[in-house]
Amino acid sequence: MTGITPGLIMTAAGAAGIAGCLIGLLVTAVVFPKQRKKLLRAIETE
Amino acid sequence: MSGLDNFSDTYEIIEKLGEGAGGIVYKAYHKRLRQEVVIKQHRKSMSSLEGRRRETDILKNLNHTYLPQVHDFLETDDGVYTVMSYVPGKSFAQLLAEGYSFAPKELIRWGMQICSALNYLHSQEPPVIHCDIKPSNIMLTPKGDICLIDFNISFYLGDRAVLGYTNGYTSPEQYIMALSSESGQNIPGDVRIDERTDIYSVGATLYHLATGQRLSGCREKADIKYLTGFTGDSLAQVIGKALKIDPGQRFQSAYEMFRALENIPKKDRRYVRLLHRQTAVRAVLVALLAGFIVLCGYGVSEIKREKMKEYNDLVAEQISYIEEGNFEAQEEAYRKASELIPSSLESYYQNAYALYRQEKYEECISFVDYDICRNEKLDLLQARMADVYYLKADSCFRLERYEESADTYEEVMRMGTQHAEYYRDYAITLAYNSEEEEAQKVLQEAIDRGLKEDSVYYAKGEIEKALLRPDAALQEFIQCIAVTDDDEMKTRAYLTMGDIYEEKGSNTSKRDILLEARENVPAEEQIQVLERLAAVDIELSDSTGRQEYREEAIEVLNQIISQGWDTFDTLDTLAIQYEKQGDIEKARQTADQMLESYGEDYRTYMRYAFLEIDAQELKSNTQRDYTQFAQYYEKAARLYEEQVKDNNSDAQMQLLEDVYGQVREGGWLE
């Protein structure tokens, strides 16, 4: 294989995207429950 | 107070807290424990001793944050007393009386605490039903938590006896059972007390706390719209469900109601919006993830496709280079292709074929044996392996290793080839391996598989030749040449006929048949014909001394060179022929061409040296000068040492050394 081919670009972009999405999902798994808890506390103490 | 005097050594009565249908309640001080307690004097008329013991036994066994702890149960002639921990604070009934306005968040929190206590009671074995949940039986401690008190009508689940009721809080089913019990009537069979009875009472209590108005009776349907004005929709829905007349429509357990209360904040619009937003973000991320997975998968398949295309292009290059005779470029393409996809056989096959086409049969066999058959990355069971084995088998045949060739042909057959030509060549090999009968059988199989007529003649010719019947063989080859339109086969037939004439010792017939071949085979198939024709012409010239054969040889060699098929030996042979003709100048020009085409090679300088000797011999003794000869010799000798490891192997070089020695001895060199 020589040079940067469309297949290589697609694979690299896909892999980077997968990694990004997985990191994003991981962040949401940590951050979202905290957001919900915080809001619930705020609602309860109103 | 007379009964209480019995305990004066242990308890000191502080004050009377209240008096009700169940009895009189005193606040007291436990002298030994030094803590405030509540002593409840049970009215004799209220229940039997057994009933009172039941309440105490229930409470004694319970331990929960939102329930009081019973310390003692005392019985005298004057009455029965229960001692329990003092719960400071005010009851919800007192708070209502004081006009306290219960906020929805307080109702939720305390409602959950009530449900928690009830869940504990209901989970006892047997389950305990409180049966008297109402504002006056719920204390609010200074800490802000509730305490569920007064179990004087508590009820073990399964026991159909009901001890009492409180209008406005009692569930319809408990009310029916209590009335039936009071009037001595039979309790209807479908009416029963269970956890849901307490759920109703919790609902009625919360309703009262929220609205400040208690339900007038168990038959009154709660006004949820009215309630919503105080609590908001979510809490009103929960209370409304708890207040359903039909127990089947209420929460089925205190835990269920606890969860419903707990989830009320989650029904807040802001919370719902946050949830939707979070769900949307996650959905987008998941969709993107799916998209990227698809993209990555497509990319990988695209890389494979690109790789395969590049591989196929390289193989096509290999085929093209083989056709052009550019074998170096072919090998380069093979290396690239086999590095690109090491598990694909095709480039290996083409490289083996290139070696075969170059008549490098030993290398072809080694390549098949070591680079292909011992290559773990290759699938050796694929059909294409038949073609690979064929190359090896035919290479063995050409090297006259007939037994090995026959064994390899068996591999070809084992791979299940459909090529009739492979059977034909197998038959020829068998004949050369002195297996005539087997050869005939295989040839017949080739014919059965549709072997063409020309191939049949060719095979028969080879078989006859192998069986040492040259005349019969010649006849078969003549037939083959007559009918075939396959130039390669025609060439092979001519060449084999040449070999037969050579074996018969008839070089003129060989020359004739090669001349005929030169006329009848196309240019691209002529290389072997021309090489053999030049060789036989040289032999004839040397043996007969007739110069026309040498002239023909020179003309044929020049044709090979003009076609671009020449090798070092072609030019060297041509130089020798010119030399033998006495045309030293043309011989030198040919040697110049050797130097130009093949660079520094001892053989070129050796040729120059021989030509120089011949050139000097044509001169008179006085004009001879061997200086140039000595320079050529010295250069050839130096290169010979560098280029040939076993530098005694070239007879011509030995001869040149002898000549050089004679020249020195003759005093021609200083």
Side-chain angles (χ1 to χ4, degrees):
Chain A
M1 298 293 290
T2 48
I4 298 170
T5 62
L8 201 65
I9 293 168
M10 279 190 272
T11 307
I18 289 168
C21 287
L22 287 175
I23 290 168
L25 283 170
L26 210 68
V27 168
T28 63
V30 175
V31 171
F32 283 7
K34 284 182 184 168
Q35 281 182 343
R36 289 199 298 271
K37 217 174 271 180
K38 196 176 165 187
L39 182 62
L40 273 180
R41 256 203 306 272
I43 292 167
E44 281 165 6
T45 52
E46 267 173 7
Chain B
M1 290 288 285
S2 60
L4 289 170
D5 292 340
N6 296 326
F7 319 122
S8 57
D9 55 337
T10 309
Y11 300 102
E12 181 188 331
I13 301 300
I14 299 171
E15 61 176 319
K16 184 177 167 184
L17 288 175
E19 186 173 351
I24 306 166
V25 181
Y26 297 98
K27 183 179 178 183
Y29 183 74
H30 195 295
K31 291 176 181 172
R32 202 171 59 251
L33 295 177
R34 294 179 180 177
Q35 89 180 53
E36 290 178 329
V37 294
V38 167
I39 299 177
K40 182 178 178 183
Q41 181 185 15
H42 296 273
R43 287 187 193 283
K44 281 189 175 175
S45 58
M46 181 64 194
S47 58
S48 63
L49 177 65
E50 192 186 342
R52 290 192 298 274
R53 267 204 175 279
R54 172 185 292 174
E55 181 194 352
T56 311
D57 286 344
I58 291 166
L59 287 172
K60 271 170 77 179
N61 293 328
L62 301 177
N63 184 15
H64 190 271
T65 316
Y66 305 128
L67 295 174
Q69 184 65 51
V70 170
H71 298 303
D72 210 353
F73 179 76
L74 309 167
E75 193 173 358
T76 66
D77 294 339
D78 298 324
V80 177
Y81 302 88
T82 307
V83 182
M84 62 188 85
S85 58
Y86 173 69
V87 180
K90 293 178 179 177
S91 73
F92 281 178
Q94 285 174 292
L95 290 172
L96 278 169
E98 289 170 8
Y100 183 81
S101 177
F102 290 84
K105 68 171 184 179
E106 291 173 323
L107 292 174
I108 291 167
R109 182 162 171 269
W110 292 330
M112 284 167 67
Q113 289 182 354
I114 297 167
C115 287
S116 170
L118 284 178
N119 184 52
Y120 175 74
L121 291 173
H122 296 167
S123 63
Q124 297 302 306
E125 194 56 48
V128 175
I129 312 300
H130 188 284
C131 289
D132 198 19
I133 292 167
K134 57 185 178 185
S136 60
N137 281 343
I138 302 167
M139 294 296 293
L140 182 62
T141 65
K143 285 183 181 175
D145 296 324
I146 63 102
C147 188
L148 198 56
I149 59 165
D150 203 351
F151 281 65
N152 66 348
I153 58 170
S154 285
F155 179 90
Y156 278 111
L157 190 64
D159 187 342
R160 290 174 69 84
V162 177
L163 302 173
Y165 63 90
T166 305
N167 213 8
Y169 305 105
T170 300
S171 67
E173 62 271 19
Q174 185 180 344
Y175 188 73
I176 292 166
M177 286 182 80
L179 287 183
S180 302
S181 181
E182 273 179 10
S183 62
Q185 290 174 352
N186 285 337
I187 297 166
D190 58 339
V191 176
R192 59 189 292 267
I193 299 294
D194 59 21
E195 295 97 324
R196 297 171 296 185
T197 305
D198 282 344
I199 300 289
Y200 181 92
S201 300
V202 174
T205 302
L206 292 177
Y207 184 90
H208 188 180
L209 297 178
T211 62
Q213 291 178 14
R214 76 170 178 177
L215 296 169
S216 59
C218 65
R219 296 191 193 282
E220 184 193 352
K221 208 173 173 187
D223 187 347
I224 301 303
K225 205 173 173 184
Y226 176 66
L227 178 63
T228 305
F230 294 93
T231 61
D233 187 51
S234 302
L235 179 55
Q237 292 298 326
V238 173
I239 295 171
K241 187 172 180 183
L243 285 171
K244 292 282 181 191
I245 302 295
D246 177 5
Q249 292 181 349
R250 292 177 208 151
F251 296 105
Q252 297 302 297
S253 67
Y255 179 70
E256 196 182 318
M257 188 170 176
F258 177 91
R259 290 304 304 265
L261 288 167
E262 188 183 46
N263 285 332
I264 285 172
K266 292 182 181 173
K267 289 176 182 163
D268 186 278
R269 200 177 298 163
R270 286 165 296 171
Y271 187 81
V272 171
R273 255 206 316 267
L274 177 69
L275 266 187
H276 285 163
R277 212 166 43 236
Q278 290 185 345
T279 308
V281 169
R282 278 197 172 137
V284 168
L285 281 173
V286 169
L288 279 173
L289 180 64
F292 282 125
I293 287 170
V294 170
L295 181 68
C296 195
Y298 186 73
V300 169
S301 71
E302 188 65 15
I303 286 174
K304 281 184 187 166
R305 202 187 61 75
E306 285 163 358
K307 205 171 168 184
M308 189 49 74
K309 186 182 176 301
E310 192 178 351
Y311 180 83
N312 288 337
D313 289 346
L314 284 167
V315 170
E317 277 179 26
Q318 281 184 269
I319 294 167
S320 165
Y321 288 138
I322 291 168
E323 290 301 315
E324 291 167 13
N326 187 352
F327 294 108
E328 273 183 27
Q330 184 287 137
E331 199 174 341
E332 184 59 29
Y334 152 70
R335 292 204 186 287
K336 283 184 190 168
S338 58
E339 272 174 28
L340 195 63
I341 307 182
S343 60
S344 181
L345 181 62
E346 192 55 33
S347 69
Y348 289 89
Y349 170 78
Q350 294 301 337
N351 194 56
Y353 182 61
L355 293 170
Y356 173 82
R357 280 287 297 268
Q358 293 173 80
E359 298 180 13
K360 293 180 177 176
Y361 299 123
E362 284 286 4
E363 286 179 45
C364 179
I365 293 164
S366 294
F367 183 76
V368 171
D369 282 345
Y370 295 100
D371 292 77
I372 297 180
C373 292
R374 293 191 187 177
N375 190 334
E376 289 176 356
K377 290 175 184 165
L378 294 173
D379 172 15
L380 301 181
L381 296 175
Q382 56 189 295
R384 189 65 161 153
M385 276 305 291
D387 302 322
V388 172
Y389 285 129
Y390 172 77
L391 292 178
K392 182 190 168 185
D394 206 41
S395 295
C396 290
F397 179 83
R398 307 257 172 165
L399 295 171
E400 300 180 4
R401 282 149 49 178
Y402 301 123
E403 197 175 342
E404 191 182 347
S405 177
D407 289 346
T408 312
Y409 270 117
E410 278 181 26
E411 293 288 335
V412 176
M413 301 304 131
R414 241 198 305 277
M415 297 310 294
T417 181
Q418 296 301 313
H419 292 294
E421 289 75 15
Y422 289 1
Y423 283 88
R424 174 197 68 196
D425 293 347
Y426 183 28
I428 294 167
T429 302
L430 287 168
Y432 275 87
N433 202 34
S434 311
E435 295 177 63
E436 185 184 356
E437 203 176 313
E438 193 62 25
Q440 295 295 355
K441 260 194 228 170
V442 175
L443 180 61
Q444 189 53 51
E445 195 165 345
I447 293 165
D448 293 345
R449 284 175 181 270
L451 188 67
K452 286 183 185 171
E453 190 184 7
D454 53 352
S455 278
V456 175
Y457 284 127
Y458 179 81
K460 283 181 177 174
E462 285 279 14
I463 291 168
E464 294 295 351
K465 178 175 176 276
L467 299 173
L468 304 177
R469 297 194 285 257
D471 293 331
L474 287 170
Q475 286 308 312
E476 297 291 353
F477 285 125
I478 289 165
Q479 294 271 29
C480 171
I481 290 164
V483 299
T484 190
D485 50 7
D486 179 345
D487 293 327
E488 194 184 336
M489 187 180 293
K490 189 182 277 182
T491 309
R492 280 176 72 175
Y494 274 124
L495 293 175
T496 315
M497 286 178 77
D499 292 344
I500 292 169
Y501 285 127
E502 190 179 333
E503 283 166 17
K504 288 175 79 173
S506 175
N507 271 344
T508 48
S509 297
K510 182 179 178 180
R511 175 176 167 269
D512 291 343
I513 201 70
L514 290 172
L515 281 172
E516 187 185 320
R518 190 184 182 188
E519 292 300 316
N520 291 333
V521 299
E524 61 269 20
E525 299 288 344
Q526 281 193 0
I527 175 67
Q528 290 188 69
V529 174
L530 296 177
E531 280 176 351
R532 291 189 192 202
L533 181 58
V536 76
D537 276 334
I538 292 165
E539 268 187 57
L540 283 168
S541 172
D542 290 345
S543 61
T544 63
R546 289 171 63 178
Q547 283 306 305
E548 61 260 37
Y549 289 127
R550 197 170 312 282
E551 280 164 14
E552 189 174 84
I554 289 170
E555 184 248 324
V556 170
L557 289 167
N558 275 318
Q559 187 183 346
I560 292 170
I561 294 163
S562 67
Q563 296 281 3
W565 297 329
D566 57 301
T567 61
F568 185 92
D569 288 337
T570 314
L571 292 169
D572 198 28
T573 307
L574 181 62
I576 293 167
Q577 298 316 306
Y578 280 132
E579 188 184 357
K580 284 185 176 175
Q581 250 189 353
D583 193 343
I584 302 298
E585 193 46 43
K586 279 193 175 169
R588 274 190 182 140
Q589 286 171 5
T590 309
D592 291 346
Q593 207 175 335
M594 286 159 66
L595 190 61
E596 191 185 326
S597 301
Y598 298 97
E600 297 281 291
D601 190 302
Y602 81 91
R603 292 173 297 175
T604 308
Y605 289 101
M606 183 174 74
R607 189 58 52 216
Y608 275 129
F610 279 125
L611 291 173
E612 192 59 29
I613 284 287
D614 287 351
Q616 294 306 320
E617 280 177 0
L618 293 174
K619 295 177 184 173
S620 63
N621 282 354
T622 52
Q623 289 178 320
R624 287 181 188 177
D625 178 3
Y626 286 95
T627 313
Q628 185 69 43
F629 162 74
Q631 286 173 358
Y632 286 139
Y633 166 74
E634 281 161 11
K635 193 146 194 180
R638 187 170 53 77
L639 289 172
Y640 183 60
E641 273 197 25
E642 285 172 15
Q643 293 172 353
V644 184
K645 282 182 186 171
D646 178 11
N647 50 22
N648 290 318
S649 59
D650 191 332
Q652 283 200 64
M653 198 60 203
Q654 294 293 323
L655 177 63
L656 187 64
E657 271 181 40
D658 293 345
V659 172
Y660 178 74
Q662 287 167 16
V663 169
R664 282 190 74 85
E665 282 171 16
W668 297 99
L669 287 170
E670 287 182 5

